[in-house]
Amino acid sequence: MMGSNGHMTGDAWRPDLYSNLSSWGHAWDTRAKIIALVVFVFGVVTLNSIYPLMLSFVLVLLAVVSVKIPLFFLVKRVKWVLPFLIFIFIGLILGRGLGNIHDSLYFGGTVSLKALTSLTATLLVLGTQSLEKFLKGLAQIRLPRVIVSVLFLSYRYIFMFREIVQDTYRALLSRGFSNGFSIQTLRVYGEITGALFIKALDRSEIVLKSMEARGFDGSIPFHSSSERPLDAKDMIKTLGVLMVTGLLLWLDRGVI
Amino acid sequence: MKAVKIKDLSFSYESQGNNPADKTVYALDKINLELDAGKKIAFLGANGSGKTTLFYHLNGLNLPQSGEVEVLGLKVSKGIRKELRKKVGMVFENPDNQLISTTVYDDVAFGLRNYRWSEERIKEKVHAVLGKVQAEELVDSSPYNLSWGQKKRVAIAGVLAMEPELLVLDEPFSGLDPRVTKCLLALLDWLNSEGKTVIISAHDVDLAYSWADEVVIMSKGSIVNHGTPDVLHDQQEMEEASLDTPILAKVFQTSPFWPQNTAEARSVVERLLEGQS
């Protein structure tokens, strides 16, 4: 993300980078997609057996491929979860002892698959329409407006924060600073972290003023016209996900 | 008709220092000012002179702590802020503080959606204003990756879309190259020709001298002088306000001529040379 010359990548990290493609996932109504995602994720999280979890992960991967989102794009985002999963494994093994290593690995495996499957499914949903449309979808399924506004502004602030980090880092480099783990560099990191948050707070106040100057009254106005009504294809896709979720739960509770 | 009437306006920020002896800082100290509608007005002053703080009063972002502010016939108070912000468009110095949406289209539409415009009207207006600021090709772009000049144009479009009667621009030319500055000046002139009152703040006294119908000089929260650009001739007053005198004023100060732009200056010089020959 941050090169040694202080440059950050452009838009490549945005989750909706491939939202302009054309596929069954892109054509799926956002509201229906969100509902399907929530049901699917809740279902996956309640699975206990490793084989239904593996199956759910494979199905989601196939879905990602079918909506034409590049796998490397997915891997780049999912990889950030891996260190946490490794810590979970280590914690489980050390906590339960080497005598129970099979149980620890099994449990760690189920947790990891749940995390990876849920994350992949979420990235699939985020990646198949613009962020604006996604937030509008959240508002339309009656998620409280204040939460949607907070999500929207948080996303905006990521860019703002990124710029502030970039500018600060460039300023450091131009005065001879180099990365490292000495007491001095750690002190610098601490100081600039504090300064970054203060700058971000300052900036956010001005951003709010500029929004108020254009009539903002506390909730982000999305398109006043609604999307096209839900059609049969949307319903079929949503029901399909619900049925797959049900099947996974049945497999989990039943046989395997 | 007066676009702005300010009477005994004072405003202060609480001191941010750790020293208990630090007193409250008066950003504005008993300001009295009236500005005519339909004019091009430039506020000049050093950093910290109170220009931005004063601007924030014009659309209710700041409310007067003492005194009165009346803008386009509306007395600035808590209750009328939303109505006021329809009529008074404010463009901030840093366009990054203004651009909040994921596409240029949605950012320009932001203000219109706050006032419940229909999407058909919004679509028409967005394309129209983007055309006016020569940014129509950016309509589907992400505002975050535009150049500074492009961001400025989009920020202005977002305010113009709301059809304000009074347009306030805080340091609109900062960071712009000469070509973009020229385009922006032409746009502001056009808006003024359409009847809008245009108020800018600037550090460039030469630009203000040649462009503005009226000039307001501010220093340390007070108004030092207000009038036609001729008020910028007073070198001592300008120095006290930490400003420089316009170059043309310096060059012609000992002459009976006061050209306000290079074209007029050239004409004066040509006449003088003709007279000599």
Side-chain angles (χ1 to χ4, degrees):
Chain A
M1 236 165 104
M2 177 81 83
S4 58
N5 59 357
H7 285 296
M8 277 190 164
T9 53
D11 269 353
W13 63 275
R14 286 178 56 176
D16 59 351
L17 196 63
Y18 295 96
S19 59
N20 56 346
L21 298 178
S22 178
S23 74
W24 63 271
H26 292 82
W28 194 358
D29 184 273
T30 305
R31 295 164 289 180
K33 223 183 317 190
I34 292 171
I35 291 169
L37 172 70
V38 169
V39 170
F40 180 75
V41 167
F42 269 97
V44 162
V45 161
T46 59
L47 297 174
N48 295 312
S49 310
I50 201 151
Y51 294 110
L53 279 165
M54 285 167 70
L55 179 60
S56 66
F57 185 55
V58 167
L59 288 172
V60 164
L61 275 180
L62 288 172
V64 166
V65 170
S66 70
V67 299
K68 302 172 196 170
I69 292 177
L71 275 177
F72 75 82
F73 177 83
L74 185 72
V75 165
K76 268 184 156 178
R77 276 134 196 84
V78 168
K79 75 181 181 192
W80 294 101
V81 174
L82 295 179
F84 298 98
L85 297 177
I86 291 169
F87 275 124
I88 288 172
F89 270 104
I90 294 170
L92 284 168
I93 290 166
L94 293 176
R96 291 185 175 200
L98 290 171
N100 282 319
I101 196 165
H102 180 262
D103 287 344
S104 303
L105 288 173
Y106 186 90
F107 185 68
T110 58
V111 169
S112 302
L113 280 169
K114 286 179 189 181
L116 290 171
T117 306
S118 305
L119 182 58
T120 306
T122 306
L123 286 170
L124 186 153
V125 168
L126 287 175
T128 48
Q129 76 277 298
S130 67
L131 181 80
E132 184 95 7
K133 240 177 153 180
F134 176 75
L135 292 171
K136 187 189 150 197
L138 289 177
Q140 285 177 325
I141 60 169
R142 300 285 187 260
L143 195 70
R145 277 240 158 200
V146 70
I147 294 177
V148 179
S149 298
V150 165
L151 287 171
F152 177 83
L153 290 170
S154 301
Y155 183 68
R156 170 68 185 101
Y157 285 133
I158 290 171
F159 289 93
M160 200 172 69
F161 199 70
R162 181 184 79 158
E163 266 173 48
I164 296 172
V165 167
Q166 209 167 350
D167 289 344
T168 305
Y169 194 67
R170 277 205 200 105
L172 283 179
L173 289 177
S174 62
R175 286 199 282 173
F177 178 78
S178 41
N179 289 318
F181 282 101
S182 67
I183 298 284
Q184 179 59 23
T185 50
L186 289 174
R187 191 176 291 138
V188 169
Y189 289 140
E191 283 171 354
I192 61 173
T193 303
L196 281 171
F197 279 107
I198 291 170
K199 280 188 196 180
L201 184 68
D202 248 352
R203 190 84 97 84
S204 68
E205 285 180 5
I206 300 174
V207 169
L208 178 63
K209 272 193 158 78
S210 77
M211 290 168 71
E212 285 177 337
R214 285 197 282 166
F216 179 66
D217 57 6
S219 76
I220 302 288
F222 294 102
H223 270 250
S224 55
S225 63
S226 56
E227 285 191 23
R228 56 168 181 79
L230 291 173
D231 61 20
K233 284 183 186 170
D234 298 320
M235 302 302 282
I236 289 168
K237 289 168 195 171
T238 309
L239 279 170
V241 170
L242 298 182
M243 282 170 58
V244 164
T245 309
L247 177 68
L248 290 168
L249 287 168
W250 178 73
L251 287 171
D252 184 64
R253 308 282 185 264
V255 180
I256 301 170
Chain B
M1 184 192 138
K2 297 291 178 190
V4 174
K5 282 193 217 172
I6 300 175
K7 198 175 164 195
D8 292 330
L9 172 67
S10 292
F11 188 88
S12 64
Y13 295 103
E14 287 302 317
S15 170
Q16 301 294 317
N18 292 323
N19 187 348
D22 280 350
K23 293 179 195 166
T24 302
V25 174
Y26 278 99
L28 298 174
D29 192 9
K30 288 200 169 50
I31 300 274
N32 284 283
L33 180 67
E34 287 188 1
L35 300 173
D36 291 326
K39 292 279 168 86
K40 297 184 293 186
I41 301 150
F43 277 70
L44 294 167
N47 296 331
S49 57
K51 305 185 295 294
T52 303
T53 306
L54 181 61
F55 283 6
Y56 284 171
H57 283 84
L58 299 181
N59 73 347
L61 286 175
N62 285 347
L63 295 175
Q65 288 171 352
S66 68
E68 269 177 22
V69 177
E70 193 180 294
V71 181
L72 299 171
L74 294 170
K75 206 164 163 186
V76 175
S77 63
K78 212 170 178 179
I80 54 103
R81 281 185 297 194
K82 194 149 183 181
E83 191 190 340
L84 187 60
R85 286 161 191 174
K86 248 197 291 192
K87 297 180 176 222
V88 180
M90 177 159 294
V91 180
F92 287 65
E93 180 184 356
N94 184 347
D96 281 321
N97 294 334
Q98 200 156 332
L99 302 173
I100 60 145
S101 297
T102 50
T103 64
V104 165
Y105 181 96
D106 287 315
D107 201 273
V108 175
F110 175 77
L112 303 176
R113 288 182 180 140
N114 284 328
Y115 288 96
R116 309 282 184 263
W117 280 39
S118 70
E119 284 304 315
E120 284 146 50
R121 273 185 80 199
I122 288 174
K123 190 174 178 180
E124 211 181 292
K125 180 54 86 175
V126 167
H127 285 285
V129 294
L130 284 175
K132 274 276 159 310
V133 301
Q134 295 170 40
E136 197 153 10
E137 74 280 8
L138 303 174
V139 66
D140 293 322
S141 306
S142 163
Y144 313 136
N145 295 325
L146 302 178
S147 70
W148 185 258
Q150 288 171 329
K151 283 180 186 174
K152 279 255 178 181
R153 282 186 275 154
V154 171
I156 290 170
V159 171
L160 284 185
M162 295 167 68
E163 298 173 345
E165 292 170 41
L166 168 62
L167 191 59
V168 181
L169 302 103
D170 196 359
E171 310 230 17
F173 307 109
S174 69
L176 296 182
D177 64 46
R179 184 188 65 85
V180 179
T181 301
K182 206 172 166 183
C183 289
L184 182 51
L185 277 168
L187 174 65
L188 296 181
D189 285 340
W190 177 79
L191 288 166
N192 180 246
S193 71
E194 296 281 299
K196 295 193 196 302
T197 310
V198 179
I199 298 177
I200 69 168
S201 69
H203 289 134
D204 187 340
V205 288
D206 294 298
L207 186 144
Y209 189 59
S210 62
W211 175 83
D213 300 320
E214 284 181 34
V215 167
V216 180
I217 304 172
M218 290 190 72
S219 176
K220 293 175 190 165
S222 299
I223 291 182
V224 171
N225 209 336
H226 165 221
T228 64
D230 292 349
V231 303
L232 301 178
H233 294 164
D234 189 331
Q235 212 162 337
Q236 192 184 343
E237 196 173 74
M238 294 294 279
E239 272 174 19
E240 280 168 5
S242 304
L243 295 169
D244 206 358
T245 325
I247 287 174
L248 288 176
K250 280 189 209 171
V251 167
F252 288 89
Q253 68 181 28
T254 54
S255 78
F257 306 105
W258 293 105
Q260 247 180 284
N261 53 55
T262 49
E264 284 177 23
R266 190 177 297 125
S267 164
V268 165
V269 168
E270 280 168 359
R271 274 190 283 135
L272 286 171
L273 289 173
E274 271 172 26
Q276 279 199 326
S277 62

